[in-house]
Amino acid sequence: MAEHSSIHGVVADFDSPDTLLDAVRAARAKGYTKMEAYTPFPIHGIDEAMGAKQSILGYIVLCGSATGLTTAILLQWWTGSIAYPLVISGKPLFAFEFGFPIMFELTVLLSAFAAVFGMLGLNGLPRLNHPIFNYSGVAGSSDDRFLLVIEASDKKFDANETKDFLATLGAEKLEVIEA
Amino acid sequence: MSKHHHHDVPKDSYEIPTSTWEKGRNIIVAVFILGWVAALAGYSLDHKQFFPSYLVAFFFGAGIAIGAALFTMIQHLTGSAWSVPLRRLMENIMMSMPILALLFLPVAFGLHELYEWSHPGIMKTDALLAKKEAYLNPTAFYIRAVVYFVIWSFWAWRLSSWSRAQDTSKDLNLTFKSERISAPGMLLFFLSASLASVDWVMSLQPHWYSTIFGVYCLAGGMWAFFAILTFTLLRFRANGILANSVTVEHYHDMGKWMFALTVFWAYIAFSQYMLIWYANLPEETSFFMVRRSGTWETVSGILLFGHFAATFLFLLARASKRNLNVLRFVTVWILCMHYIDVYWLVMPNFSKAGVAPHWMDAACFVAVMSTLALGFWWRLKSAPIVAVGDPRLEKGLEFQNV
């Protein structure tokens, strides 16, 4: 690890989604686990090929919604029947009938917050730069190129060996990128 | 894209094997005969019980057909590809419309048994009802019913027959024509189905009104439509039909729709309840007064926890929407809950004292649903069970949730 601290990884540049997918499978078969693909559009099956786990975002959202629901119940119950009890149009001090719209809205609001901010957090965003931009051909990944990066944090990573391995998979361009 | 994932997937036949079809037909015909014999026996034994029982069954079937039509039109309007492999089955369910027109006859025939407002004497003496007489009178009721069935059958027939014509002609214009009539179709279906809910169910309690009632019925009907479509596809799959064409990706999407409509129904049901509870006007609360007393309150509770809360939890996780065993259970659950919902709308008007299940409820249900099933089954034989001429079919077959 230490000797690679200034290297982000090795990038292999492919010309089609199919060669990229084959390369991902080959890299996984070889034992690499820390990799990332950069493509102009979503590619079916690449998550499974890379062994990407299901995101935990759903659970974060669930926590957000539970917090919203609890807050709404406590807020309405406490303000209406403890802090400032006041009978309005003959209704009970607290009832689920009138409390539910607020419960629904706060549940949705905090779920949405949890989803957006949780997603940003899990993606490590916001950030000012990413090492992939050190690759000379990075612009192609939003046009017609399909990039695979094997990252230096991978246990099997060795700049020269990894580069040689990726060369056998049909990459049209290979580059070691700085961290 | 990435074709090589799919070239090794075996292709399905888009025809139902004759032996399977004949077996299915024999079962449905047997149930059909049994159901109608029981329903007719019920009618001659106790016609006071027959008409409400029949109305529940009829409204259950009609809601599903309307849900199928609305969803088919949404698919045309949005140019959806994922649903194309399922669309022929939706069209076959939607084509229940002309049969439903026939099945409506007992409701029309039982007008005086079912609807208090059909008796001119009551309408004249009751100040509130007198004001509604221009709308709630037998002639207007019959004319409106004819208009509903003409609209529904015409749209269902156009969309279904164009889709079938496209099987052989592959004519792209049929896709555009279907898109074009779906826009006015959506508007007309929403309006006419809302009014039909008012005519057939809401007017059972003619003093009461709720402007959201039609949407409530549409939401439930569409929910049940997805359940019956998914259940049918799972049964097909168990028999090796469309097992490779309709994948877990399609089931996942149908699970999302069932989940969305679970929430939508609850949203509408709650909106109706909350506004009535808050305003607390006797004219409006009468509906919930009877449904919050005695054993009817238990049924209301079943709807709150079973129709909404339990289904919400069943379908919340992505994993459960992609698990076909969970989905099979949920579809049956949904159909039971939807039946209880329709029962809860109709029956308290006839047995205010409490829930009184009757064997005729089951008999009428079997009679009506087997009649619709028979029509569905016959249409499976008259054309491929997948819209093979649709330009989006290939894309729909390869669809994946990203």
Side-chain angles (χ1 to χ4, degrees):
Chain A
M1 276 296 294
E3 70 266 30
H4 297 310
S5 57
S6 62
I7 294 177
H8 173 65
V10 177
V11 59
D13 194 321
F14 298 95
D15 68 345
S16 79
D18 287 349
T19 44
L20 173 72
L21 261 176
D22 291 339
V24 168
R25 295 204 181 95
R28 286 262 294 162
K30 186 88 177 164
Y32 289 106
T33 53
K34 298 272 163 66
M35 61 181 98
E36 192 60 84
Y38 300 86
T39 61
F41 48 79
I43 293 175
H44 290 159
I46 199 155
D47 287 350
E48 295 80 39
M50 288 175 53
K53 290 197 187 72
Q54 180 71 38
S55 165
I56 60 157
L57 188 61
Y59 295 98
I60 297 176
V61 175
L62 192 64
C63 294
S65 59
T67 312
L69 182 63
T70 321
T71 309
I73 296 173
L74 291 178
L75 178 74
Q76 294 181 89
W77 165 78
W78 182 77
T79 53
S81 35
I82 307 289
Y84 202 92
L86 184 65
V87 174
I88 300 163
S89 66
K91 297 291 185 288
L93 293 174
F94 175 75
F96 280 93
E97 276 91 346
F98 65 69
F100 200 80
I102 311 294
M103 286 152 59
F104 176 77
E105 298 300 342
L106 262 189
T107 306
V108 171
L109 181 70
L110 292 207
S111 302
F113 280 162
V116 172
F117 294 115
M119 179 275 293
L120 291 176
L122 292 175
N123 283 324
L125 293 172
R127 59 185 294 169
L128 297 174
N129 195 15
H130 189 279
I132 188 64
F133 292 111
N134 295 333
Y135 169 50
S136 58
V138 67
S141 70
S142 58
D143 182 10
D144 58 353
R145 307 298 301 176
F146 303 85
L147 312 184
L148 174 64
V149 175
I150 294 187
E151 291 170 3
S153 56
D154 196 299
K155 278 201 282 297
K156 261 182 76 71
F157 184 84
D158 176 280
N160 293 325
E161 244 176 61
T162 306
K163 201 173 166 185
D164 291 343
F165 165 69
L166 285 171
T168 63
L169 301 177
E172 298 196 338
K173 199 172 160 191
L174 285 161
E175 210 170 292
V176 175
I177 46 177
E178 308 270 302
Chain B
M1 137 192 31
S2 36
K3 286 270 188 287
H4 71 267
H5 300 305
H6 300 285
H7 68 79
D8 49 349
V9 174
K11 280 257 181 215
D12 285 321
S13 156
Y14 295 147
E15 313 273 332
I16 292 212
T18 310
S19 62
T20 314
W21 187 82
E22 282 173 351
K23 207 176 112 196
R25 178 199 59 192
N26 294 345
I27 295 171
I28 299 170
V29 167
V31 173
F32 172 85
I33 294 170
L34 208 74
W36 279 106
V37 166
L40 290 174
Y43 171 73
S44 54
L45 286 172
D46 181 1
H47 63 276
K48 283 242 173 306
Q49 175 67 44
F50 170 81
F51 286 113
S53 293
Y54 186 86
L55 182 63
V56 173
F58 169 79
F59 201 64
F60 182 92
I64 289 172
I66 291 163
L70 282 171
F71 192 67
T72 307
M73 289 190 283
I74 293 173
Q75 300 318 294
H76 284 302
L77 281 174
T78 55
S80 157
W82 77 269
S83 61
V84 172
L86 328 170
R87 211 189 61 224
R88 179 56 46 80
L89 297 180
M90 302 176 194
E91 289 160 359
N92 288 344
I93 298 175
M94 167 175 85
M95 277 301 283
S96 307
M97 290 304 184
I99 304 173
L100 279 163
L102 283 178
L103 290 173
F104 181 72
L105 292 177
V107 177
F109 183 66
L111 189 72
H112 293 299
E113 303 284 346
L114 288 168
Y115 303 101
E116 193 188 344
W117 54 260
S118 67
H119 303 281
I122 293 167
M123 296 303 272
K124 291 278 180 293
T125 52
D126 188 307
L128 271 177
L129 294 187
K131 290 210 165 66
K132 298 184 182 179
E133 208 188 350
Y135 185 89
L136 286 183
N137 64 75
T139 315
F141 179 88
Y142 291 134
I143 291 173
R144 282 196 304 271
V146 170
V147 172
Y148 303 150
F149 283 114
V150 167
I151 293 174
W152 298 345
S153 304
F154 178 78
W155 253 264
W157 167 66
R158 288 322 294 153
L159 288 170
S160 174
S161 63
W162 285 340
S163 172
R164 283 168 181 237
Q166 200 178 39
D167 286 352
T168 43
S169 75
K170 318 276 178 198
D171 182 4
L172 203 57
N173 270 325
L174 294 170
T175 298
F176 298 136
K177 278 163 90 174
S178 304
E179 279 170 22
R180 270 198 299 275
I181 73 158
S182 290
M186 283 290 287
L187 287 171
L188 280 173
F189 264 71
F190 234 91
L191 195 66
S192 56
S194 284
L195 288 177
S197 313
V198 169
D199 284 8
W200 300 342
V201 177
M202 197 174 103
S203 79
L204 289 169
Q205 201 174 345
H207 288 102
W208 181 72
Y209 63 90
S210 160
T211 48
I212 212 169
F213 190 80
V215 183
Y216 178 92
C217 295
L218 282 168
M222 202 155 167
W223 193 59
F225 153 69
F226 275 105
I228 216 160
L229 176 67
T230 310
F231 181 78
T232 308
L233 279 163
L234 285 167
R235 290 307 306 153
F236 278 6
R237 188 184 181 85
N239 288 288
I241 299 162
L242 297 183
N244 305 303
S245 307
V246 180
T247 66
V248 70
E249 304 294 335
H250 300 100
Y251 285 104
H252 184 185
D253 266 21
M254 286 189 281
K256 289 177 200 166
W257 268 98
M258 284 187 269
F259 180 72
L261 285 162
T262 305
V263 178
F264 183 68
W265 175 89
Y267 193 97
I268 300 302
F270 177 75
S271 300
Q272 174 173 284
Y273 178 67
M274 185 196 68
L275 292 175
I276 291 175
W277 180 88
Y278 216 104
N280 206 15
L281 304 170
E283 202 182 337
E284 295 179 351
T285 49
S286 57
F287 180 83
F288 287 112
M289 280 303 281
V290 60
R291 286 165 183 79
R292 284 202 61 178
S293 54
T295 42
W296 286 117
E297 186 163 26
T298 313
V299 183
S300 303
I302 291 173
L303 289 180
L304 174 59
F305 291 103
H307 199 299
F308 170 61
T311 321
F312 179 86
L313 294 175
F314 288 151
L315 287 173
L316 182 59
R318 174 187 161 98
S320 57
K321 289 190 280 277
R322 294 177 75 89
N323 182 322
L324 301 187
N325 291 323
V326 172
L327 277 188
R328 189 176 48 223
F329 165 75
V330 170
T331 54
V332 177
W333 175 267
I334 286 178
L335 290 170
C336 293
M337 283 301 149
H338 183 58
Y339 183 83
I340 295 174
D341 185 27
V342 177
Y343 192 87
W344 177 86
L345 289 174
V346 172
M347 282 301 182
N349 297 301
F350 300 95
S351 56
K352 290 192 168 61
V355 191
H358 197 278
W359 63 266
M360 241 186 275
D361 299 334
C364 290
F365 180 82
V366 170
V368 167
M369 291 313 285
S370 65
T371 310
L372 298 176
L374 211 55
F376 175 81
W377 204 252
W378 240 267
R379 282 184 296 274
L380 290 180
K381 202 68 189 156
S382 57
I385 54 174
V386 167
V388 290
D390 193 289
R392 299 187 183 97
L393 177 62
E394 207 50 41
K395 206 174 157 197
L397 289 169
E398 291 199 4
F399 155 75
Q400 290 185 38
N401 285 284
V402 178

